[in-house]
Amino acid sequence: MSISSLAIVRHDSTLLDWSLVEKGISNRLDYSPSREHAFHCYLLENVFGILPDAAEDYIIDGGSDRGIDFIFIDHEARTIEIATTKVVATFKKSRKNFPGATIDKIISFMDDLLHRRETLLSNSNPLLRLKIEEIWDVLEQETYAIRIHLFSNQK
């Protein structure tokens, strides 16, 4: 296995950036059970072009999610988009860094996923299990790019 490309995007957010994302979150709060869920919907719609009614199909956040919040498998582009998110409630808290423990969870998840460790299924919630099985089925047939995304409204 080799990594074909690695891109790290850094950008110190401004109050303008914060306000734009906050508006997107607040516009979705009426039909979302939490701020986190609203943020996931905002990202799926604006980054991946998912229609608002379909966003729920990709969100796997919850207990036993292995640090993964949503997975989007794009069969046309042959990409698997795996994302984890952190959302804070105030601009003042946005200066914090992404938690290192979350990165460790993602590394562990990816190692189990790419080595097709069956224990991954027993340690995952039902929605994540479905996505894992779909990924394994896809990767047995085709070559897909896998992209890991860390989304946050913080530094």
Side-chain angles (χ1 to χ4, degrees):
M1 181 176 81
S2 66
I3 297 175
S4 61
S5 66
L6 177 63
I8 298 175
V9 178
R10 288 194 178 172
H11 163 7
D12 283 335
S13 58
T14 66
L15 190 53
L16 183 59
D17 299 321
W18 171 264
S19 297
L20 179 66
V21 173
E22 274 305 299
K23 181 173 171 90
I25 292 171
S26 61
N27 286 346
R28 289 158 181 81
L29 280 175
D30 288 343
Y31 59 88
S32 292
S34 67
R35 274 181 61 77
E36 290 79 10
H37 187 274
F39 187 50
H40 300 155
C41 292
Y42 172 78
L43 292 167
L44 283 160
E45 293 167 30
N46 289 283
V47 176
F48 300 105
I50 302 298
L51 295 174
D53 293 344
E56 190 69 38
D57 296 341
Y58 305 97
I59 299 172
I60 55 170
D61 185 31
S64 299
D65 65 11
R66 299 287 305 259
I68 307 301
D69 294 318
F70 61 84
I71 296 176
F72 170 54
I73 302 171
D74 185 340
H75 295 287
E76 288 181 25
R78 295 170 44 139
T79 60
I80 299 168
E81 312 288 350
I82 299 174
T84 189
T85 66
K86 294 296 172 200
V87 61
V88 295
T90 64
F91 180 69
K92 186 175 182 177
K93 291 184 179 180
S94 73
R95 308 315 286 166
K96 295 181 180 181
N97 291 317
F98 212 89
T102 301
I103 306 302
D104 292 341
K105 282 184 183 179
I106 294 168
I107 291 169
S108 171
F109 172 79
M110 290 305 299
D111 189 56
D112 289 346
L113 179 74
L114 294 176
H115 286 98
R116 195 178 179 130
R117 293 191 180 106
E118 294 295 325
T119 56
L120 181 58
L121 296 175
S122 62
N123 296 326
S124 301
N125 68 40
L127 295 172
L128 181 54
R129 274 197 300 272
L130 289 172
K131 292 295 184 184
I132 291 166
E133 289 171 343
E134 184 179 356
I135 290 168
W136 285 347
D137 288 345
V138 163
L139 293 179
E140 282 187 3
Q141 306 299 321
E142 299 286 335
T143 302
Y144 275 49
I146 298 176
R147 297 182 204 168
I148 310 297
H149 302 273
L150 308 176
F151 292 110
S152 179
N153 66 343
Q154 62 188 25
K155 187 173 180 179

